[in-house]
Amino acid sequence: MTETQTLVLDAPTGKTGPDAREVLRAVLRAPIQARTWKQLVYVFTVFVIGMLAVCYLFFGFGGGLYASIFLIGIPILALVLLGARLWAKVYRALARDLLDAQVDAPPPYVSQPGFFGFLKSAFTDRASWRAVLFLFAQAVLGVGGGYLVLIVVAVSVFTAFSPIPWVLFNPTNIDDNGVEHHSLAQFGSFYIDTWPRVLLMSAVGIICCFALPWLLRAVCWVHGLLTIALLSATARDRQLVELRASRRAAVEDSAATLRRVERDLHDGTQARLVTIAMALGRAEERISHGGDARDLIADAYADAKEALTELRELVRGIHPPALELGLEPALETLASRCAVPVELRVQLPQRPNPAIEAIAYFSVAELLTNVVKHANATSAWVSVVPTDAHTIAVSVRDNGIGGVLQPVDGEHVAGSGLSGLAARARAVDGTLTVQSPTGGPTVVTILLPTAGPR
């Protein structure tokens, strides 16, 4: 019984008290916070430009529809529709600067060639239609709602400071009986004509001023939701951007691979084959004169063996033969060749798509090369395990110095570095994440779909 009483007594003093003080502090500070003033500026700004947007919609669409009788209105409507993108850009900037909302812009407008291609692109541009819908919504929320909020703000502030004009300007009201009242306001037959009543009215205004920030927060919260819903990039837009970036990265990677193969063939194998041909030519000439050409033939034979070795290495760089047996044997071969001891763990219930196996193999090869060159590590761990029925996680961990940065989307150098690996993973709807605090350890995880991109 004593323990229960102690808990009940401690609750108000240990928990409820500080919470109540924090709430009171938040209420008292709200009117002077920068956030409140930025939201007030936002409401006033969208009220003003909302009226301009209403005029834009009325005259633009109205004039375009009227002029469409003469066909010239059709391109006018297309231009008005695309102009909504500029309004959307303004509203996104306001939301970013005044509401601290991060709104990703949709993909830029791309017009098809020709006049009719332009019309088709304009009238099928989803971002423009969403922007037009947003402008119609702003006619209600931005203009109508903003007007009401600004009226409430003006009335609350005037009421809070009402004693000042009551004293300075000596306002008077005359009732039905002809009696004059030194009154700033009246409610029916109730006149605010004495100091207690004036101070009471001012107190009500002050309370309303402390409540105004929460009204602004609620209104701006609705504005933020509407902006994100209609002016931000959709999941389809983001996927389209990622697909374009992945396609560009794949093309760059293929071009880099082709240049590397061409360079290796030209500088290595081709030069060695020329040497073999010249040695055999000299040997043929020496034999025709009755000389001994065994040394030249031996040199040509040695060069031929080295050329075959170079060709095997070149082919292994394009598609490792070990992958024909599966990802696990290929990674075992890769781990055995690494200069740093590697502990390998592969657990695959079913074999992934060959393209996924190649990406996993080359990613592990690149990461192990980074470990040897840059990490100052003494051990590395490689694991390939399923995360669900359709995804595998390829992880490379080392005990090195750490400090590796997460690659940024879009910063890709074809065929090199973590950015190249991230782009290669995104090309098949995969992801790459890096955890590398200063001092280590570094863990790079690549999630890949087992069946390839969808």
Side-chain angles (χ1 to χ4, degrees):
M1 187 67 179
T2 305
E3 182 180 359
T4 304
Q5 291 176 346
T6 303
L7 291 174
V8 171
L9 291 175
D10 287 344
T13 57
K15 191 173 183 179
T16 305
D19 288 348
R21 287 195 296 269
E22 291 176 3
V23 171
L24 180 60
R25 188 180 300 113
V27 171
L28 294 178
R29 293 176 56 188
I32 60 174
Q33 285 181 328
R35 175 185 178 185
T36 302
W37 290 97
K38 289 168 66 175
Q39 290 175 341
L40 179 60
V41 171
Y42 177 85
V43 171
F44 176 77
T45 305
V46 296
F47 169 71
V48 174
I49 67 174
M51 291 187 291
L52 298 177
V54 169
C55 296
Y56 174 82
L57 292 175
F58 179 78
F59 290 106
F61 277 99
L65 289 173
Y66 177 77
S68 62
I69 302 174
F70 310 100
L71 298 182
I72 194 176
I74 296 178
I76 292 177
L77 287 175
L79 293 174
V80 171
L81 187 62
L82 294 177
R85 276 179 165 265
L86 299 177
W87 287 95
K89 187 175 182 180
V90 172
Y91 278 101
R92 280 195 299 269
L94 288 174
R96 181 184 64 249
D97 297 337
L98 298 178
L99 300 185
D100 298 327
Q102 295 299 325
V103 186
D104 297 329
Y109 168 73
V110 178
S111 175
Q112 297 181 11
F115 176 73
F116 292 102
F118 162 74
L119 292 181
K120 180 182 178 181
S121 301
F123 285 111
T124 57
D125 185 44
R126 297 172 67 251
S128 297
W129 285 108
R130 294 171 67 218
V132 169
L133 182 60
F134 178 84
L135 293 181
F136 275 111
Q138 282 297 314
V140 178
L141 180 62
V143 178
Y147 175 77
L148 294 177
V149 171
L150 293 175
I151 289 297
V152 171
V153 170
V155 170
S156 299
V157 174
F158 177 79
T159 303
F161 290 95
S162 58
I164 297 176
W166 186 73
V167 171
L168 294 180
F169 301 106
N170 193 26
T172 59
N173 288 318
I174 301 176
D175 61 17
D176 296 336
N177 299 322
V179 179
E180 184 178 280
H181 298 271
H182 178 202
S183 172
L184 187 66
Q186 70 178 89
F187 301 94
S189 60
F190 185 81
Y191 290 86
I192 310 298
D193 56 357
T194 62
W195 271 110
R197 294 180 178 181
V198 170
L199 293 178
L200 178 61
M201 179 177 173
S202 177
V204 173
I206 292 174
I207 294 174
C208 291
C209 288
F210 282 104
L212 283 178
W214 311 103
L215 173 63
L216 291 172
R217 281 165 172 72
V219 172
C220 291
W221 177 74
V222 177
H223 274 282
L225 288 182
L226 186 64
T227 303
I228 293 174
L230 294 178
L231 300 186
S232 66
T234 62
R236 179 176 177 271
D237 294 333
R238 285 188 287 269
Q239 186 179 26
L240 181 61
V241 171
E242 290 176 0
L243 288 176
R244 288 176 178 170
S246 299
R247 183 178 62 181
R248 183 174 63 252
V251 171
E252 293 175 356
D253 198 44
S254 299
T257 301
L258 184 61
R259 288 193 299 269
R260 178 177 59 81
V261 171
E262 182 181 3
R263 184 178 62 250
D264 291 344
L265 286 174
H266 181 272
D267 297 340
T269 308
Q270 178 178 307
R272 198 170 295 280
L273 290 176
V274 171
T275 303
I276 294 172
M278 294 176 63
L280 291 176
R282 289 197 304 271
E284 182 182 12
E285 182 180 357
R286 185 178 295 181
I287 291 173
S288 66
H289 289 83
D292 186 6
R294 284 181 294 179
D295 57 336
L296 293 174
I297 295 175
D299 291 341
Y301 176 72
D303 286 337
K305 291 176 63 178
E306 292 182 2
L308 287 174
T309 302
E310 290 178 357
L311 284 174
R312 291 193 190 98
E313 292 295 330
L314 186 61
V315 171
R316 185 179 292 110
I318 300 173
H319 183 77
L323 277 179
E324 300 297 332
L325 302 176
L327 184 58
E328 184 173 2
L331 292 180
E332 288 175 352
T333 303
L334 192 63
S336 63
R337 295 178 179 176
C338 186
V340 174
V342 177
E343 182 178 331
L344 179 65
R345 177 195 173 202
V346 179
Q347 182 183 353
L348 293 175
Q350 59 181 2
R351 188 168 179 178
N353 182 286
I356 300 300
E357 286 187 332
I359 291 176
Y361 176 86
F362 285 113
S363 297
V364 172
E366 177 79 22
L367 292 172
L368 289 180
T369 301
N370 290 343
V371 170
V372 173
K373 289 184 177 180
H374 309 296
N376 294 334
T378 58
S379 297
W381 295 262
V382 177
S383 68
V384 182
V385 296
T387 58
D388 54 44
H390 307 288
T391 309
I392 60 172
V394 180
S395 298
V396 176
R397 180 169 64 92
D398 65 71
N399 61 351
I401 58 176
V404 180
L405 298 179
Q406 175 82 21
V408 179
D409 291 352
E411 295 184 2
H412 170 56
V413 179
S416 64
L418 289 179
S419 296
L421 297 183
R424 185 177 294 179
R426 288 196 302 270
V428 292
D429 297 331
T431 60
L432 181 145
T433 57
V434 178
Q435 296 178 350
S436 183
T438 303
T442 296
V443 181
V444 180
T445 303
I446 305 175
L447 297 181
L448 298 172
T450 55
R454 296 180 296 276

Short mmCIF file of all heavy atoms in Angstrom, two decimals, residues 214-250:
data_model
loop_
_atom_site.label_atom_id
_atom_site.label_comp_id
_atom_site.label_asym_id
_atom_site.label_seq_id
_atom_site.Cartn_x
_atom_site.Cartn_y
_atom_site.Cartn_z
N TRP A 214 -0.90 28.65 -33.27
CA TRP A 214 -1.39 27.28 -33.47
C TRP A 214 -2.41 27.24 -34.60
O TRP A 214 -2.49 26.24 -35.33
CB TRP A 214 -1.97 26.76 -32.17
CG TRP A 214 -1.02 26.99 -31.03
CD1 TRP A 214 -1.11 27.95 -30.07
CD2 TRP A 214 0.22 26.31 -30.80
NE1 TRP A 214 -0.02 27.91 -29.23
CE2 TRP A 214 0.81 26.90 -29.65
CE3 TRP A 214 0.87 25.27 -31.44
CZ2 TRP A 214 2.03 26.47 -29.14
CZ3 TRP A 214 2.09 24.83 -30.93
CH2 TRP A 214 2.65 25.43 -29.79
N LEU A 215 -3.15 28.34 -34.77
CA LEU A 215 -4.03 28.42 -35.94
C LEU A 215 -3.19 28.48 -37.22
O LEU A 215 -3.50 27.80 -38.21
CB LEU A 215 -4.91 29.67 -35.84
CG LEU A 215 -5.78 29.99 -37.06
CD1 LEU A 215 -6.78 28.88 -37.33
CD2 LEU A 215 -6.49 31.34 -36.88
N LEU A 216 -2.12 29.28 -37.21
CA LEU A 216 -1.24 29.36 -38.37
C LEU A 216 -0.59 28.02 -38.68
O LEU A 216 -0.47 27.62 -39.84
CB LEU A 216 -0.17 30.43 -38.15
CG LEU A 216 -0.64 31.88 -38.13
CD1 LEU A 216 0.49 32.80 -37.71
CD2 LEU A 216 -1.17 32.28 -39.50
N ARG A 217 -0.18 27.30 -37.62
CA ARG A 217 0.44 25.99 -37.83
C ARG A 217 -0.54 25.02 -38.49
O ARG A 217 -0.16 24.26 -39.39
CB ARG A 217 0.93 25.43 -36.51
CG ARG A 217 2.27 26.02 -36.06
CD ARG A 217 2.52 25.69 -34.59
NE ARG A 217 3.84 26.05 -34.14
CZ ARG A 217 4.27 27.29 -33.93
NH1 ARG A 217 3.48 28.31 -34.19
NH2 ARG A 217 5.50 27.53 -33.48
N ALA A 218 -1.79 25.06 -38.03
CA ALA A 218 -2.79 24.15 -38.60
C ALA A 218 -3.05 24.48 -40.07
O ALA A 218 -3.09 23.58 -40.93
CB ALA A 218 -4.09 24.23 -37.80
N VAL A 219 -3.20 25.78 -40.38
CA VAL A 219 -3.46 26.17 -41.76
C VAL A 219 -2.27 25.84 -42.65
O VAL A 219 -2.42 25.30 -43.76
CB VAL A 219 -3.81 27.67 -41.83
CG1 VAL A 219 -3.89 28.14 -43.27
CG2 VAL A 219 -5.12 27.94 -41.10
N CYS A 220 -1.06 26.13 -42.17
CA CYS A 220 0.13 25.85 -42.97
C CYS A 220 0.37 24.35 -43.12
O CYS A 220 0.95 23.91 -44.11
CB CYS A 220 1.34 26.54 -42.36
SG CYS A 220 1.28 28.35 -42.50
N TRP A 221 -0.04 23.58 -42.13
CA TRP A 221 0.07 22.12 -42.25
C TRP A 221 -0.79 21.62 -43.40
O TRP A 221 -0.36 20.78 -44.19
CB TRP A 221 -0.36 21.47 -40.93
CG TRP A 221 -0.35 19.98 -40.96
CD1 TRP A 221 0.75 19.16 -40.94
CD2 TRP A 221 -1.48 19.11 -41.02
NE1 TRP A 221 0.37 17.84 -40.98
CE2 TRP A 221 -1.00 17.78 -41.03
CE3 TRP A 221 -2.86 19.33 -41.06
CZ2 TRP A 221 -1.85 16.68 -41.08
CZ3 TRP A 221 -3.71 18.24 -41.12
CH2 TRP A 221 -3.21 16.93 -41.12
N VAL A 222 -2.00 22.17 -43.52
CA VAL A 222 -2.87 21.80 -44.65
C VAL A 222 -2.24 22.25 -45.96
O VAL A 222 -2.24 21.51 -46.96
CB VAL A 222 -4.27 22.40 -44.46
CG1 VAL A 222 -5.15 22.09 -45.67
CG2 VAL A 222 -4.92 21.88 -43.19
N HIS A 223 -1.68 23.46 -45.98
CA HIS A 223 -1.00 23.95 -47.18
C HIS A 223 0.14 23.01 -47.56
O HIS A 223 0.34 22.69 -48.75
CB HIS A 223 -0.46 25.35 -46.96
CG HIS A 223 -1.45 26.44 -47.23
ND1 HIS A 223 -1.77 26.86 -48.50
CD2 HIS A 223 -2.21 27.19 -46.39
CE1 HIS A 223 -2.66 27.83 -48.44
NE2 HIS A 223 -2.94 28.06 -47.17
N GLY A 224 0.92 22.58 -46.57
CA GLY A 224 2.04 21.69 -46.86
C GLY A 224 1.59 20.36 -47.43
O GLY A 224 2.19 19.85 -48.38
N LEU A 225 0.53 19.79 -46.84
CA LEU A 225 0.01 18.53 -47.36
C LEU A 225 -0.46 18.69 -48.81
O LEU A 225 -0.20 17.83 -49.66
CB LEU A 225 -1.15 18.04 -46.49
CG LEU A 225 -0.80 17.51 -45.10
CD1 LEU A 225 -2.07 17.03 -44.40
CD2 LEU A 225 0.21 16.37 -45.18
N LEU A 226 -1.15 19.80 -49.09
CA LEU A 226 -1.65 20.03 -50.44
C LEU A 226 -0.49 20.22 -51.42
O LEU A 226 -0.52 19.71 -52.55
CB LEU A 226 -2.56 21.26 -50.45
CG LEU A 226 -3.28 21.56 -51.76
CD1 LEU A 226 -4.26 20.45 -52.11
CD2 LEU A 226 -4.02 22.89 -51.67
N THR A 227 0.54 20.94 -51.00
CA THR A 227 1.69 21.16 -51.87
C THR A 227 2.41 19.85 -52.18
O THR A 227 2.77 19.58 -53.34
CB THR A 227 2.66 22.15 -51.21
OG1 THR A 227 1.98 23.37 -50.91
CG2 THR A 227 3.83 22.45 -52.13
N ILE A 228 2.61 19.03 -51.16
CA ILE A 228 3.29 17.75 -51.39
C ILE A 228 2.44 16.83 -52.25
O ILE A 228 2.94 16.11 -53.12
CB ILE A 228 3.62 17.10 -50.03
CG1 ILE A 228 4.67 17.94 -49.28
CG2 ILE A 228 4.12 15.66 -50.22
CD1 ILE A 228 4.94 17.46 -47.89
N ALA A 229 1.12 16.86 -52.04
CA ALA A 229 0.24 15.94 -52.77
C ALA A 229 0.15 16.29 -54.24
O ALA A 229 0.06 15.39 -55.09
CB ALA A 229 -1.16 15.95 -52.14
N LEU A 230 0.17 17.60 -54.59
CA LEU A 230 -0.09 18.00 -55.97
C LEU A 230 1.11 18.56 -56.71
O LEU A 230 1.13 18.55 -57.95
CB LEU A 230 -1.22 19.04 -56.01
CG LEU A 230 -2.60 18.54 -55.56
CD1 LEU A 230 -3.62 19.68 -55.60
CD2 LEU A 230 -3.07 17.38 -56.43
N LEU A 231 2.12 19.06 -55.99
CA LEU A 231 3.23 19.72 -56.68
C LEU A 231 4.55 18.95 -56.59
O LEU A 231 5.52 19.33 -57.24
CB LEU A 231 3.45 21.13 -56.11
CG LEU A 231 2.27 22.10 -56.24
CD1 LEU A 231 2.68 23.48 -55.77
CD2 LEU A 231 1.75 22.15 -57.68
N SER A 232 4.60 17.91 -55.80
CA SER A 232 5.85 17.16 -55.67
C SER A 232 5.90 16.04 -56.70
O SER A 232 4.89 15.68 -57.32
CB SER A 232 5.99 16.59 -54.27
OG SER A 232 4.98 15.61 -54.03
N ALA A 233 7.08 15.49 -56.87
CA ALA A 233 7.25 14.36 -57.77
C ALA A 233 6.57 13.13 -57.20
O ALA A 233 6.69 12.84 -56.01
CB ALA A 233 8.74 14.09 -57.99
N THR A 234 5.83 12.43 -58.02
CA THR A 234 5.17 11.21 -57.59
C THR A 234 6.15 10.05 -57.61
O THR A 234 7.29 10.17 -58.10
CB THR A 234 3.98 10.90 -58.51
OG1 THR A 234 4.47 10.67 -59.85
CG2 THR A 234 2.99 12.06 -58.54
N ALA A 235 5.71 8.91 -57.07
CA ALA A 235 6.57 7.72 -57.11
C ALA A 235 6.88 7.32 -58.55
O ALA A 235 7.99 6.89 -58.87
CB ALA A 235 5.87 6.57 -56.37
N ARG A 236 5.91 7.51 -59.43
CA ARG A 236 6.13 7.21 -60.86
C ARG A 236 7.16 8.16 -61.45
O ARG A 236 8.03 7.74 -62.23
CB ARG A 236 4.81 7.33 -61.61
CG ARG A 236 4.89 7.07 -63.10
CD ARG A 236 3.49 7.12 -63.71
NE ARG A 236 3.53 6.94 -65.15
CZ ARG A 236 3.67 7.93 -66.02
NH1 ARG A 236 3.79 9.17 -65.57
NH2 ARG A 236 3.69 7.68 -67.32
N ASP A 237 7.10 9.45 -61.07
CA ASP A 237 8.09 10.42 -61.56
C ASP A 237 9.49 10.06 -61.08
O ASP A 237 10.45 10.11 -61.85
CB ASP A 237 7.73 11.83 -61.10
CG ASP A 237 6.43 12.32 -61.72
OD1 ASP A 237 6.09 11.86 -62.81
OD2 ASP A 237 5.75 13.15 -61.08
N ARG A 238 9.60 9.73 -59.78
CA ARG A 238 10.92 9.38 -59.25
C ARG A 238 11.47 8.12 -59.90
O ARG A 238 12.67 8.02 -60.18
CB ARG A 238 10.83 9.21 -57.72
CG ARG A 238 10.72 10.53 -56.97
CD ARG A 238 10.84 10.32 -55.48
NE ARG A 238 9.64 9.70 -54.94
CZ ARG A 238 8.60 10.38 -54.46
NH1 ARG A 238 8.61 11.70 -54.48
NH2 ARG A 238 7.55 9.76 -53.96
N GLN A 239 10.58 7.15 -60.16
CA GLN A 239 11.03 5.93 -60.82
C GLN A 239 11.50 6.23 -62.24
O GLN A 239 12.50 5.67 -62.70
CB GLN A 239 9.91 4.89 -60.85
CG GLN A 239 10.34 3.55 -61.40
CD GLN A 239 9.21 2.53 -61.38
OE1 GLN A 239 8.03 2.91 -61.43
NE2 GLN A 239 9.54 1.27 -61.33
N LEU A 240 10.80 7.15 -62.92
CA LEU A 240 11.20 7.52 -64.27
C LEU A 240 12.57 8.19 -64.26
O LEU A 240 13.42 7.90 -65.12
CB LEU A 240 10.16 8.46 -64.88
CG LEU A 240 10.41 8.94 -66.32
CD1 LEU A 240 10.46 7.75 -67.27
CD2 LEU A 240 9.34 9.93 -66.75
N VAL A 241 12.81 9.07 -63.29
CA VAL A 241 14.11 9.72 -63.18
C VAL A 241 15.21 8.69 -62.90
O VAL A 241 16.30 8.73 -63.49
CB VAL A 241 14.08 10.81 -62.09
CG1 VAL A 241 15.48 11.35 -61.82
CG2 VAL A 241 13.16 11.94 -62.49
N GLU A 242 14.91 7.76 -62.00
CA GLU A 242 15.90 6.73 -61.68
C GLU A 242 16.19 5.85 -62.89
O GLU A 242 17.34 5.46 -63.13
CB GLU A 242 15.40 5.88 -60.51
CG GLU A 242 15.37 6.62 -59.18
CD GLU A 242 14.79 5.78 -58.07
OE1 GLU A 242 14.40 4.62 -58.36
OE2 GLU A 242 14.73 6.26 -56.92
N LEU A 243 15.15 5.53 -63.65
CA LEU A 243 15.36 4.70 -64.84
C LEU A 243 16.21 5.43 -65.87
O LEU A 243 17.10 4.83 -66.50
CB LEU A 243 14.01 4.31 -65.45
CG LEU A 243 13.20 3.27 -64.68
CD1 LEU A 243 11.84 3.05 -65.34
CD2 LEU A 243 13.95 1.94 -64.59
N ARG A 244 15.96 6.74 -66.03
CA ARG A 244 16.78 7.50 -66.97
C ARG A 244 18.23 7.56 -66.50
O ARG A 244 19.16 7.41 -67.31
CB ARG A 244 16.21 8.91 -67.12
CG ARG A 244 14.91 8.97 -67.91
CD ARG A 244 14.34 10.39 -67.93
NE ARG A 244 13.13 10.47 -68.73
CZ ARG A 244 12.34 11.52 -68.77
NH1 ARG A 244 12.65 12.61 -68.06
NH2 ARG A 244 11.24 11.52 -69.52
N ALA A 245 18.42 7.78 -65.19
CA ALA A 245 19.79 7.81 -64.66
C ALA A 245 20.46 6.45 -64.79
O ALA A 245 21.65 6.36 -65.12
CB ALA A 245 19.77 8.26 -63.19
N SER A 246 19.70 5.38 -64.54
CA SER A 246 20.26 4.04 -64.65
C SER A 246 20.63 3.72 -66.09
O SER A 246 21.67 3.12 -66.36
CB SER A 246 19.25 3.01 -64.12
OG SER A 246 18.96 3.25 -62.76
N ARG A 247 19.76 4.13 -67.03
CA ARG A 247 20.07 3.89 -68.43
C ARG A 247 21.32 4.65 -68.85
O ARG A 247 22.19 4.11 -69.55
CB ARG A 247 18.88 4.32 -69.30
CG ARG A 247 19.09 4.04 -70.78
CD ARG A 247 17.87 4.44 -71.58
NE ARG A 247 17.61 5.86 -71.47
CZ ARG A 247 16.59 6.47 -72.06
NH1 ARG A 247 15.71 5.77 -72.76
NH2 ARG A 247 16.40 7.77 -71.91
N ARG A 248 21.44 5.91 -68.40
CA ARG A 248 22.63 6.68 -68.72
C ARG A 248 23.88 6.04 -68.11
O ARG A 248 24.93 5.95 -68.76
CB ARG A 248 22.47 8.11 -68.21
CG ARG A 248 23.63 9.02 -68.56
CD ARG A 248 23.34 10.46 -68.17
NE ARG A 248 23.17 10.61 -66.74
CZ ARG A 248 22.01 10.84 -66.15
NH1 ARG A 248 20.91 10.93 -66.88
NH2 ARG A 248 21.92 10.97 -64.85
N ALA A 249 23.75 5.57 -66.86
CA ALA A 249 24.90 4.93 -66.21
C ALA A 249 25.27 3.64 -66.92
O ALA A 249 26.45 3.31 -67.07
CB ALA A 249 24.57 4.65 -64.74
N ALA A 250 24.26 2.86 -67.36
CA ALA A 250 24.55 1.61 -68.06
C ALA A 250 25.26 1.87 -69.38
O ALA A 250 26.20 1.16 -69.75
CB ALA A 250 23.25 0.84 -68.29
#
